[in-house]
Amino acid sequence: MSAIPTQNTQEQVTAARIRYAMMTRYNPIRGLTPELLGLQLEEYRMGGMRVTRTWDVIKDRWPILKSVAMKREKAAARVPWDVLIREDVPEARRNEAEQQRDVLKRFWNSVRATAVIDQNQQGGVRMLLRQMMEAVGHRHAVHEIVWKPNRAGVLSAEFRFCPLWFFESRTGKLRYLQSEGAIDGVELVPNKWLVTCGDGLMEACAVAYMYRDMPLKDWSAFSEKFGIPYIHGETSAKPGTAEWDAAATALENFGSDGALLTEPGVKITPLQVGSQGQATFEPAIKLQDAYAAILWRGGDLGTQSAGNSVGASLQGDESDSLLEDDCMMLAETLQEQVERVVLQYAFGPNVEPLAYFTLLLPKEKNVDLDIKVDQFLVGAGARISVREAMERYGRKEADAADEVLQRGSGGSQFGAAAADVASTAEVLGVLANEQDPRLIQEALSEVAAALSDRLAPLRQRIQVILAETDLAKQRRLIDELRLDLPKYLPQDAADGLTRAFSRVLGAGVVGGF
């Protein structure tokens, strides 16, 4: 067991530091101009973090940005987590790996997360993940770790989320500013801080905010001046008389922001402003909203309302890719900066990690297809990783003390019929719509092994094609087999199997077979 240094069990961000920071807070976007923002961004490039105060307020007050950022951050925090054993762990070390898994699960179930500026925030792993996602916008998210070992040898921790303007990075690494207004910080104590690194989208969003804020202010001024029409009144009274003054008072009492009183016959030509302001300002504002959505979610707002929104499905694909990348970032950060300390505390400084924290990422998939293909491959003798299958179906492996589901007495009907032509035709019919070359290649090899003896000549020809290294010759053999397929197949399944084989063989050429 490795000891936790005493300083790592105490709070370095003190109550006095927090109180003074709260008392000196201000609104950084009041009077913000492009020139001032440019200076802040230049200082940020030199290691200063004061611009992150501006980013915080922009993120809170720009409605579209707040919405898309919140969706991105919460999406990763909602993904189920688990502790898994490494797939390459040998059987001889399985018991050691299970012990590590139990220690890590107990640790992650006990951690607490809060924020030093808003200590009403209280939560566990999900709160911690959501706070770490701040790195997507701010490039870094920092937590102070207060380790909490107990007398029984069990380790827990409290993660205290700190604002980024508590730090500076003028040396290339984040350093903690011990007082408000300090220029140079102190080095971060090893294993005392959790630093998450992300994309840093708020730098671009701050620039977009300025280009959005200027036309928005102009639009407001335009609406204030021209939103209510002026009134033109006429009277036969002479200026300066009591009747003229009475008419002027009547116009003022009408409630308009502006009025004009003239003698009869005076010609007034008003400026026709109409909806010109909306046509000028609104597109500029919507353009910056779209930029924010593209940055954070991988697609613009047009896909939400346009009837002919080309690329709506691509937006979904991009969002899935972003979620996958976010989950990998979070898991790897916790594995490297937190779990090593936990395992060293429990098993000694030379421990080799055999278990790890992960997020069970949901995938858009055809579950029926996955089940049929898995059953077919297992029935044909393929070896499929249990761990990989559990992750793919979003399921957790049962602990030793858990009651587990039992297999029904009927067994796997599909596994028993893996070599049957009808079952083979069903699987190949599903594979005919598959796009993954790797899956097609694996399935094609298993099909050749699973077909019945009466299809032995077909199996032999497929094996010859698989063994051929000359690409041109291989394509010629595939074309010949495509034409000869009907004579090899049973009459009752010939049409479906021919189409399936043709589809798989054609995709094999494209994917490298």
Side-chain angles (χ1 to χ4, degrees):
M1 178 181 295
S2 296
I4 300 293
T6 302
Q7 63 179 340
N8 289 3
T9 63
Q10 300 172 349
E11 297 176 355
Q12 185 173 351
V13 183
T14 63
R17 173 74 172 91
I18 298 169
R19 179 177 176 81
Y20 190 77
M22 295 292 292
M23 293 174 61
T24 56
R25 293 180 80 177
Y26 60 93
N27 180 6
I29 66 172
R30 181 183 292 120
L32 184 65
T33 63
E35 293 77 15
L36 181 57
L37 178 62
L39 291 174
Q40 292 180 1
L41 293 177
E42 289 176 6
E43 183 199 27
Y44 171 71
R45 286 295 176 176
M46 294 185 289
M49 295 292 171
R50 287 187 295 180
V51 72
T52 59
R53 293 176 181 263
T54 304
W55 293 352
D56 288 341
V57 178
I58 289 175
K59 187 177 175 183
D60 278 339
R61 299 192 182 183
W62 184 352
I64 293 296
L65 176 59
K66 187 175 181 67
S67 174
V68 295
M70 180 176 59
K71 290 178 181 178
R72 173 87 178 264
E73 294 169 356
K74 288 186 174 182
R78 287 198 304 268
V79 175
W81 66 271
D82 197 7
V83 177
L84 302 178
I85 295 175
R86 279 172 32 193
E87 189 174 357
D88 60 347
V89 173
E91 191 62 32
R93 303 188 67 184
R94 183 74 183 182
N95 183 57
E96 179 185 354
E98 291 177 349
Q99 291 178 0
Q100 290 189 17
R101 180 186 62 185
D102 294 342
V103 167
L104 291 176
K105 278 190 174 182
R106 181 169 60 244
F107 171 79
W108 289 118
N109 281 318
S110 67
V111 301
R112 307 305 300 165
T114 186
V116 297
I117 292 297
D118 183 6
Q119 298 182 29
N120 294 307
Q121 293 187 34
Q122 299 286 334
V125 173
R126 291 184 184 274
M127 175 67 72
L128 173 62
L129 295 174
R130 185 176 174 186
Q131 292 170 341
M132 292 173 67
M133 283 294 293
E134 182 92 356
V136 174
H138 286 45
R139 198 176 300 277
H140 299 95
V142 185
H143 287 81
E144 180 190 16
I145 307 176
V146 181
W147 297 99
K148 297 181 179 294
N150 62 21
R151 295 181 179 178
V154 177
L155 183 64
S156 184
E158 181 182 33
F159 293 84
R160 309 175 74 220
F161 183 56
C162 302
L164 203 53
W165 35 275
F166 273 26
F167 304 85
E168 53 88 7
S169 63
R170 291 183 173 85
T171 61
K173 285 187 175 182
L174 289 176
R175 297 190 299 177
Y176 173 59
L177 299 173
Q178 294 180 301
S179 62
E180 197 73 15
I183 301 299
D184 294 320
V186 298
E187 298 290 337
L188 301 186
V189 177
N191 301 328
K192 172 67 174 171
W193 300 88
L194 171 65
V195 180
T196 309
C197 299
D199 300 319
L201 302 181
M202 281 305 301
E203 184 173 359
C205 287
V207 176
Y209 170 81
M210 288 306 309
Y211 284 104
R212 181 184 187 275
D213 185 58
M214 290 186 292
L216 183 60
K217 288 180 178 177
D218 292 340
W219 196 1
S220 298
F222 178 90
S223 299
E224 182 179 1
K225 188 172 184 179
F226 299 109
I228 301 176
Y230 287 75
I231 299 174
H232 179 204
E234 291 185 0
T235 178
S236 59
K238 298 296 181 180
T241 63
E243 291 80 1
W244 179 276
D245 293 339
T249 302
L251 285 176
E252 292 174 358
N253 293 335
F254 196 83
S256 174
D257 286 345
L260 180 66
L261 182 63
T262 68
E263 297 179 81
V266 176
K267 182 179 180 181
I268 303 295
T269 303
L271 296 176
Q272 299 295 328
V273 292
S275 60
Q276 294 174 5
Q278 179 174 343
T280 302
F281 306 124
E282 188 175 16
I285 295 171
K286 287 188 173 181
L287 180 63
Q288 305 310 319
D289 287 341
Y291 284 163
I294 292 171
L295 280 170
W296 284 85
R297 301 292 289 169
D300 61 36
L301 300 178
T303 56
Q304 298 180 7
S305 58
N308 59 344
S309 301
V310 178
S313 60
L314 293 179
Q315 179 181 357
D317 295 339
E318 291 166 352
S319 296
D320 292 342
S321 299
L322 292 173
L323 177 59
E324 182 177 359
D325 183 74
D326 291 340
C327 290
M328 292 175 62
M329 173 195 70
L330 296 173
E332 290 179 356
T333 301
L334 294 176
Q335 292 165 19
E336 182 65 26
Q337 300 185 38
V338 178
E339 289 193 331
R340 289 184 180 275
V341 178
V342 177
L343 293 177
Q344 289 173 1
Y345 178 81
F347 301 100
N350 299 321
V351 62
E352 178 187 358
L354 303 177
Y356 62 95
F357 174 94
T358 190
L359 293 170
L360 303 176
L361 186 67
K363 296 182 179 179
E364 287 291 336
K365 58 182 179 292
N366 186 329
V367 177
D368 183 62
L369 167 64
D370 285 349
I371 292 174
K372 288 182 178 179
V373 172
D374 285 350
Q375 289 176 332
F376 172 76
L377 294 178
V378 171
R383 298 179 68 249
I384 297 179
S385 167
V386 174
R387 182 192 63 80
E388 186 274 337
M390 295 291 281
E391 286 192 23
R392 180 152 42 88
Y393 290 113
R395 299 294 186 266
K396 295 183 179 181
E397 190 172 359
D399 294 329
D402 291 342
E403 183 178 357
V404 299
L405 296 174
Q406 301 295 325
R407 179 178 176 179
S409 59
S412 174
Q413 297 178 358
F414 197 89
D420 182 77
V421 174
S423 299
T424 304
E426 182 181 4
V427 171
L428 287 174
V430 176
L431 284 176
N433 295 318
E434 178 57 44
Q435 300 296 327
D436 187 347
R438 180 183 58 82
L439 178 58
I440 293 173
Q441 181 178 350
E442 294 177 359
L444 182 59
S445 300
E446 296 299 337
V447 165
L451 289 173
S452 62
D453 291 339
R454 58 181 169 174
L455 299 180
L458 176 60
R459 183 172 67 251
Q460 293 172 0
R461 290 188 64 173
I462 292 177
Q463 291 172 344
V464 170
I465 294 174
L466 290 172
E468 181 57 56
T469 58
D470 184 89
L471 182 59
K473 187 175 180 180
Q474 186 184 69
R475 288 179 174 174
R476 180 174 56 80
L477 293 175
I478 290 173
D479 290 337
E480 292 175 356
L481 179 57
R482 191 194 303 268
L483 297 175
D484 293 341
L485 279 177
K487 69 181 182 181
Y488 286 106
L489 304 175
Q491 188 62 38
D492 57 348
D495 293 340
L497 280 171
T498 299
R499 288 194 300 271
F501 267 115
S502 297
R503 169 69 177 84
V504 172
L505 289 172
V509 173
V510 176
F513 211 49

